[in-house]
Structure formats: C-alpha cells, structure tokens
Amino acid sequence: MASKSCQILRQYGYDLLLGFIAAFYVFAVPYTKVEESFNIQAMHDILYHQFHLENYDHLEFPGVVPRTFIGSFLVSILASPVVLAIKLLHLPKIYGLIAVRLALGGIILSSLRFFRIQIRDKFGHQVEAFFVILTAVQFHLLFYCSRALPNVLALGLVNLAYGYWFRRSFYAALNCLIFATLVFRCDMLLLLCPIALELLLTKSISLWEAIKYCTGIVLLSIGLTILVDSIMWKRLMWPEFEVLWFNSVLNRSSEWGIHSFHWYFTSALPRSLLAAYPLLMLGVLLDRRVLFFVLPVFSFILLYSKLPHKELRFIISAVPMFNLSAAVAANRIYNNRKKALWKLLNLFMLGLILISLGCTIIMFLASYENYPSGHALKGLHQMGHLASTDNWWVHIDSFSAMNGISRFCENDYPWRYSKEEGITLDEFHHRNFTYLISEHLSVDGFKCLFFVYGFSRARLQFGFPPIILDKESKVYVHGNTRIKDIMQLDWPGCS
C-alpha cells in the first residue's frame, strides 16, 4: 500500500501540489470580477436555466462585445454532476460557482501537465522540478487558471500547443493555436504567427503541408463557433471576429485605459513571473535550445505591446514558456552550486524564490479584499432574511455587479435581485427595493446598514512588515426605511 502511494506521488505529486494551491485560491476567493462575468453568467444559466434561453443573462446584459459559449458549455458539462448534487441537497448556488471554477482549473492544469511532461522528456527531471517550483511560488498563473476569462480558456489550448511543439508535432501545435484564435481569443493570432513563421524559416514545416493540415481546423473552428453562438445569441455571429473588429479595426479597446509601450516588460511580466523574470534571459543564454521556443513568445509580447490597452491577463499565455526558460537557468545554477561564482548565483536564486513566495502571499491578501460586493451580499444573506417581509428585493448597482457579484451569489425565492441600470440616487426613494448594495454611502429613503472594506493600495514602510495593505470602505448595504422590521434588526452600522 505504501509503495503504491509513493508511486502515485511520483507520478502525480507535482499535479497535486499545483492543484492544491489553485483549489485554495478558489475556496478562499470564490467571487468573480466583471472581466469574468460573461462566462460565469453563461455557466450559471447553462446549469440552472438549461434550455430556457429567454432567462439567460447575456440577452439582458450583452456586454460590450459578444463572446463564445463553447468554453462555458465544456466547463458546465464537467461541473454538472456536482451542481446536480448541490441542487438535490438544496445548497446555496455559491457552491456551484466553486464547482465550475474547480472544473476550469482542472482543465487548465491538465493542459499544463501535458506541457510539463514534454519539458521533462526534453530537458530532464530537474528542469521539470524547477518549473513546478517557480510556478508554485508565482501568484497569477495559479490564481487565474480557475477564472472564467477568455484568455484562460485560450491558455489551455496554448499549453497543449507548447507540448506538441516540444514533441515536434508541429501541425498539431498550429491546430491548437488556430482553434484558440478563432474561438476564444482572436489576439492569439499574435502568438500563432511568430511560431508559424519560425517553423517555416527553420523548415520544420512546409507552407503547402501547413495549408493542407490546418484548413480543416480553420473551417471546423469557424463553423462550430458560428453554429453554437448564433443559436445562443439569437443572431448570426462569429464572436471573435466582432471582437477583432472592435479592438483592432475600430481601436475601441483604448477606451478602457492605455499604458506605455514598455508596460508588459516593466510591470506585468515582473509581477506575473517574479523570481522567473531575472532567470528568464539567463536560461536563453545558458541553453541554445531555449531560444528557439522563447523567441516567438517574446515576439508575441512585443507585438501585443503596440496595442494601447494592456492588461496582465492578455499575456498570461506567455508565462508557462518563460517559466521553462527560467527553470533551465535555475537547474544549471543548482548543478554548479559548488563552484565559487555559481555558489553566489545559487544563494541569489534561493533569495529570489523566497521573495517570490512573500510577494505571492501579499498579492493573495490583496486579492482576498478585492471582491467587496461578494462579501457584502453574503453578509446581507446571513442577516437580511431575519426581517419578516414577504420577499427581499435587492438592487445591485453597476459597481457592485463588477466587483464580486454574479448569479451564482444569488439565493432562491423569496430573495429577488435587480441589476437595472440608469437609476439615479433620487429615484430610489420612489422604488420598492428592500435592500441596496451600492458604492454610495448615502441614498435618500434608505439607511446604511453596514459596509465592506476593499483593497485600496499597497505601501512600503520601514519596519515589519515592510509592505502594508491599505483598505477603504468600498461597498455599502442599505435598507428601506419604510420597512420597520429591517430597521429593528441589530445591524453593524456604517459609522
């Protein structure tokens, strides 16, 4: 029995480690942000409304650009047995949110396992071990792997593409990237093109063979997304083409903020890679094989830097490959640690890993406080039902809907919810909402019952701890003053 357990640990130990960390993030921070809202609401509706398309959230709140339902269907199918059990046991729907996030995380980590096995076969067990260590002490990859972002859905296919690339199954790698581009994230074209160009220039593939092997996946991808999404959106559409038109042709993405050209290199990559960032270039110098794999991914970041609107999640697909390069460098430093200069490098590397772990803990604590409206609605559910009214009608303003609340957070009748937009503060006095979850401290006709802090900023200080996380009141829960039962409850208050 003990030998069997050891064998399981040898085979799946790395997966259990990364899976445990990712699952911890899910349970500790289950709520979601506006960037995830389409896929999360779609998963909720698929699981709870099923064929009743008229009840789906995207028809009432379509968002700025449409997205595909294909990823949401896949995750929902995997999570459906657990969600069925949740329904039968009459558990809150928040457990359904945890189920779909765990299912998504399992998909992404399975694809990362495929890539990791190819790393082991090509570079050895020690490089594989350092790859896992560097991934484990980073925050963003394991935190994001369970978040229902189009970038994360594409990441699963990119990991598979990396693995096939290492196995020299070049056309399979291109097919994965093509499907990711046409279905999940059109900007994966910026990764597909440099990889395809390098394969052509090194004569790893031929143009004619590439056309022959990849035409089928192009037609399948476009046909599948048009078929599925035209049904779900009730109009003829190819979502990623509309996204490409919106972001690239109309250049409307810049309306959500712009960053300088170097932002990915000076902010996003240092935060996402941590210890792996300084080791990344060293890996390219120490092992010539690494340059072949890193150069197209570096080109992907460079091309993406020309777009004015930048977010870390846009380049999350580069992290696994950069971690490989860093792992190669870490392995070389470790193997030569008994030599004079390398001994110093080894101490420096160990220090970087410890610093990365500390940074990851700080980022996690900040993220825990970054979903204030989710915590606010949970607190309201715990106490608000004590009021003896026929139903509890909650209005959720736009800020709260973007910072932690999804349909998975809602309770069944007699709770009711409204996300109606465009209501001015003066109008609430004439509406019959029982509770408001709002970013405003004062609303006429309502009393502030309690508030929730949210993350504000991180600042340095002399002493311990060297970094302080500042919080400020972000979300306020109000009760209708005309409902006496609410006013008589012992609320924490907002003073």
Side-chain angles (χ1 to χ4, degrees), residues 247-268:
N247 288 339
S248 301
V249 179
L250 300 180
N251 197 26
R252 295 280 303 278
S253 64
S254 58
E255 296 174 9
W256 277 262
I258 60 174
H259 291 91
S260 57
F261 179 84
H262 59 77
W263 186 82
Y264 284 130
F265 298 99
T266 57
S267 179

Side-chain angles (χ1 to χ4, degrees), residues 141 201 217 261-262 299 331 364 434:
L141 185 61
L201 292 176
I217 197 67
F261 179 84
H262 59 77
S299 302
N331 179 60
F364 163 72
T434 315

Side-chain angles (χ1 to χ4, degrees), residues 155-175:
L155 173 62
L157 287 162
V158 172
N159 286 335
L160 292 179
Y162 289 157
Y164 284 123
W165 190 9
F166 274 38
R167 287 173 57 174
R168 301 187 62 82
S169 299
F170 301 125
Y171 298 111
L174 293 179
N175 283 338

Side-chain angles (χ1 to χ4, degrees), residues 182-406:
L182 298 177
V183 176
F184 293 123
R185 282 295 303 193
C186 59
D187 47 24
M188 286 299 101
L189 184 67
L190 301 178
L191 180 60
L192 169 64
C193 289
I195 291 176
L197 181 60
E198 182 179 85
L199 293 175
L200 284 170
L201 292 176
T202 57
K203 298 183 179 179
S204 300
I205 61 172
S206 70
L207 182 60
W208 172 246
E209 291 292 311
I211 293 171
K212 185 171 73 171
Y213 281 108
C214 297
T215 300
I217 197 67
V218 169
L219 296 176
L220 174 65
S221 302
I222 296 174
L224 182 63
T225 187
I226 290 176
L227 174 64
V228 171
D229 295 309
S230 295
I231 293 171
M232 300 305 295
W233 285 93
K234 295 187 174 182
R235 65 181 176 90
L236 183 65
M237 72 147 56
W238 173 9
E240 283 311 300
F241 178 78
E242 295 195 18
V243 173
L244 180 67
W245 186 267
F246 182 89
N247 288 339
S248 301
V249 179
L250 300 180
N251 197 26
R252 295 280 303 278
S253 64
S254 58
E255 296 174 9
W256 277 262
I258 60 174
H259 291 91
S260 57
F261 179 84
H262 59 77
W263 186 82
Y264 284 130
F265 298 99
T266 57
S267 179
L269 285 174
R271 283 184 290 123
S272 58
L273 293 174
L274 297 176
Y277 195 49
L279 295 173
L280 161 63
M281 294 309 297
L282 188 58
V284 174
L285 296 173
L286 292 175
D287 192 325
R288 288 181 297 177
R289 294 175 297 173
V290 174
L291 181 62
F292 178 75
F293 299 106
V294 168
L295 186 59
V297 182
F298 180 83
S299 302
F300 161 64
I301 306 290
L302 205 60
L303 290 169
Y304 224 139
S305 296
K306 293 188 69 66
L307 295 177
H309 179 58
K310 298 176 175 65
E311 293 187 40
L312 188 152
R313 60 191 171 95
F314 292 168
I315 60 161
I316 197 74
S317 296
V319 172
M321 187 61 77
F322 287 164
N323 279 348
L324 158 71
S325 180
V328 169
N331 179 60
R332 183 69 65 88
I333 292 170
Y334 178 79
N335 286 339
N336 292 281
R337 67 190 181 279
K338 294 183 179 179
K339 299 176 183 177
L341 179 61
W342 293 91
K343 187 175 183 179
L344 291 174
L345 284 175
N346 188 55
L347 290 173
F348 177 69
M349 181 180 72
L350 292 174
L352 284 176
I353 291 173
L354 289 175
I355 291 170
S356 290
L357 184 59
C359 290
T360 292
I361 292 171
I362 292 168
M363 290 178 190
F364 163 72
L365 293 174
S367 295
Y368 181 81
E369 303 289 351
N370 216 15
Y371 301 82
S373 52
H375 295 289
L377 185 56
K378 179 182 178 181
L380 178 59
H381 285 153
Q382 290 173 341
M383 193 165 180
H385 73 281
L386 298 175
S388 55
T389 59
D390 293 335
N391 62 70
W392 303 291
W393 193 12
V394 184
H395 181 268
I396 300 164
D397 72 356
S398 296
F399 177 85
S400 301
M402 292 190 295
N403 288 280
I405 294 179
S406 69

Side-chain angles (χ1 to χ4, degrees), residues 6 38 60-61 64 88 145 150 161 190 292 337 375 384 428 460 478 487:
C6 290
F38 169 75
E60 185 178 359
F61 302 99
V64 180
L88 293 174
C145 76
L190 301 178
F292 178 75
R337 67 190 181 279
H375 295 289
F428 282 110
L460 298 174
H478 303 272
M487 297 298 104

